[in-house]
Amino acid sequence: MKKSNLGYVLVLIAALMWGTIGIFVNGISALGVSSQSMAAFRLLSGAVLMAPVLAFIGCQGGAREGKASGPMALFKASPKELVPCALLGIIGLATANTLYYECMGEVGMSTASVLLYTSPVFGVVLGRVLYREDVTPNKLVAIVFNIVGCVLAVTSGDLSGFHFSAWGVVSGVIAGLCGALLAVFSRMATKTLHPLAVTFWGFVFGGCFMAVLSAPWSDVAAAMSPQLILLFAGFGFIPTALAYIFYMQGLSMDLETSKVPVVASFETVATVLVGIGIYAEPAGAIKVLGIVLVLMSILIMNTDFSKLRNSEFVGHVVESMTFKPNAWWTEKSQDMDLFRERTGIALEPTVQESPWYFVR
């Protein structure tokens, strides 16, 4: 498999894991923990779970070239290397989550979800400005399909719950921008640091930033129980540590910044499927249409139509569907001659010069 294609598959797997977030959020919320406290502990628990993994891989010689192996090998990073990790954690993770929660509080969950799906648009703009990535027609079509599909999948086409608030709209759009910047900062950081190290430091910076903002200690202490510990362990492992391991590893494979948010939007499909399968949410035709549009957007975004158009397979299909009057008339004439030889009956068209006689 082509390296970049494998990278997009890894991002897709990460999005599938992000789709399970609702399972943990519902369980932790039921125990009385606020959304911001939950976000802070999610990142901090992800960092705690990542630490032994980094130590193990460092001992196996997984550090950068020219660096000694050892349990602390992957943790070592210069201040210059930590800058994009800090931006990733503070802006791409912590700020995005905080503004998204603000948006939900101002305009409701449905409107906030729609505003967050502006992320693919920012992805294309940033890809063009920062990396000179082409803005192709299939990218634009994919973005339209993606946004419409996400909206339909989340709202089932019912837009009556939409609300407007200036700060709500601004915070939602900025959250979408921060989501697109996550791919930019990740791409910068993985050029010099191991993807797992980038994930770890992003969790550390993002978790500490969220902890300072939300001061979650009393909130979590009041709800502390064995069930909460298990939920936070699962929350920190599956949709956090493991998901971002796949995500960062994929981004280290020279992916296009403009494509990543569209592929990552598969999270919406996974979330909807979890809601249908686990929480028995209704699966109407409009919601299914939204899922199909999201899947189509991912396919369109990652298909090179110029190569497909010039491929041998498409050439055969086009040739088989092209009507050639001369060849058709020659074949029919041969059929007429064969019929005359076998029956002695001569068939003559009414209009001798017209090859279209038999298809009138």
Side-chain angles (χ1 to χ4, degrees), residues 8 16 28 59 67 69 96 116 124 131 173 218 245 247 255 258 267 276 287 295 306 310 312 314 323 326 346-347 353:
Y8 290 121
L16 179 62
I28 296 172
C59 290
K67 300 291 183 180
S69 60
L116 191 64
V124 170
Y131 303 107
V173 172
S218 57
I245 286 173
Y247 183 75
L255 306 188
S258 56
E267 175 190 355
I276 294 171
K287 185 172 288 188
L295 296 177
S306 61
N310 297 325
E312 185 177 350
V314 172
F323 179 70
N326 292 334
L347 296 176
E353 295 80 8

Side-chain angles (χ1 to χ4, degrees), residues 222-269:
M224 184 56 64
S225 67
Q227 184 182 0
L228 182 64
I229 294 174
L230 288 175
L231 284 170
F232 266 128
F235 199 20
F237 179 65
I238 297 174
T240 307
L242 195 57
Y244 278 99
I245 286 173
F246 282 107
Y247 183 75
M248 296 298 177
Q249 191 65 46
L251 288 179
S252 67
M253 297 181 177
D254 299 323
L255 306 188
E256 288 189 43
T257 302
S258 56
K259 293 183 178 181
V260 172
V262 172
V263 177
S265 69
F266 185 73
E267 175 190 355
T268 304
V269 175

Side-chain angles (χ1 to χ4, degrees), residues 3-359:
K3 184 179 178 181
S4 60
N5 290 340
L6 176 59
Y8 290 121
V9 170
L10 294 177
V11 172
L12 199 66
I13 295 173
L16 179 62
M17 293 182 177
W18 288 330
T20 65
I21 287 176
I23 300 173
F24 300 100
V25 168
N26 288 338
I28 296 172
S29 296
L31 296 176
V33 179
S34 68
S35 298
Q36 291 195 354
S37 298
M38 203 183 307
F41 268 88
R42 175 195 176 192
L43 296 178
L44 292 174
S45 60
V48 170
L49 291 170
M50 284 291 299
V53 176
L54 260 69
F56 176 78
I57 294 178
C59 290
Q60 302 300 312
R64 292 165 291 166
E65 289 186 21
K67 300 291 183 180
S69 60
M72 300 302 295
L74 288 181
F75 292 94
K76 296 177 181 178
S78 67
K80 184 178 179 180
E81 291 172 328
L82 287 176
V83 169
C85 295
L87 292 173
L88 183 155
I90 294 173
I91 296 177
L93 295 176
T95 303
N97 276 280
T98 301
L99 290 175
Y100 184 51
Y101 297 145
E102 282 288 320
C103 182
M104 283 194 293
E106 288 286 324
V107 297
M109 185 174 292
S110 297
T111 310
S113 298
V114 172
L115 292 171
L116 191 64
Y117 300 139
T118 56
S119 183
V121 178
F122 288 118
V124 170
V125 174
L126 291 172
R128 178 61 183 172
V129 173
L130 298 177
Y131 303 107
R132 296 293 184 266
E133 294 174 0
D134 294 333
V135 182
T136 58
N138 61 309
K139 285 184 180 180
L140 299 178
V141 172
I143 288 175
V144 172
F145 274 42
N146 189 264
I147 294 175
V148 173
C150 287
V151 171
L152 293 180
V154 171
T155 65
S156 295
D158 182 8
L159 306 182
S160 60
F162 273 32
H163 304 284
F164 178 81
S165 159
W167 170 238
V169 172
V170 170
S171 59
V173 172
I174 296 177
L177 173 60
C178 291
L181 286 171
L182 176 64
V184 174
F185 297 140
S186 301
R187 183 170 173 176
M188 291 167 55
T190 52
K191 287 183 178 180
T192 55
L193 285 177
H194 192 285
L196 296 184
V198 173
T199 305
F200 171 79
W201 287 114
F203 289 162
V204 170
F205 285 111
C208 291
F209 184 78
M210 286 294 297
V212 170
L213 286 181
S214 61
W217 320 113
S218 57
D219 192 15
V220 174
M224 184 56 64
S225 67
Q227 184 182 0
L228 182 64
I229 294 174
L230 288 175
L231 284 170
F232 266 128
F235 199 20
F237 179 65
I238 297 174
T240 307
L242 195 57
Y244 278 99
I245 286 173
F246 282 107
Y247 183 75
M248 296 298 177
Q249 191 65 46
L251 288 179
S252 67
M253 297 181 177
D254 299 323
L255 306 188
E256 288 189 43
T257 302
S258 56
K259 293 183 178 181
V260 172
V262 172
V263 177
S265 69
F266 185 73
E267 175 190 355
T268 304
V269 175
T271 301
V272 171
L273 294 178
V274 166
I276 294 171
I278 296 180
Y279 299 106
E281 294 178 357
I286 295 179
K287 185 172 288 188
V288 173
L289 174 62
I291 292 174
V292 171
L293 289 175
V294 173
L295 296 177
M296 287 180 63
S297 72
I298 296 173
L299 179 63
I300 292 170
M301 181 65 87
N302 292 282
T303 300
D304 189 336
F305 287 96
S306 61
K307 289 184 179 179
L308 182 63
R309 188 166 53 248
N310 297 325
S311 66
E312 185 177 350
F313 172 75
V314 172
H316 287 312
V317 172
V318 172
E319 184 178 1
S320 66
M321 297 177 65
T322 302
F323 179 70
K324 300 177 180 179
N326 292 334
W328 180 85
W329 177 247
T330 300
E331 182 181 350
K332 291 301 177 184
S333 298
Q334 292 173 349
D335 291 342
M336 290 168 59
D337 292 339
L338 181 61
F339 181 80
R340 184 174 59 251
E341 289 177 5
R342 292 182 177 179
T343 64
I345 301 174
L347 296 176
E348 296 293 340
T350 303
V351 183
Q352 298 286 344
E353 295 80 8
S354 174
W356 302 98
Y357 169 76
F358 292 99
V359 293

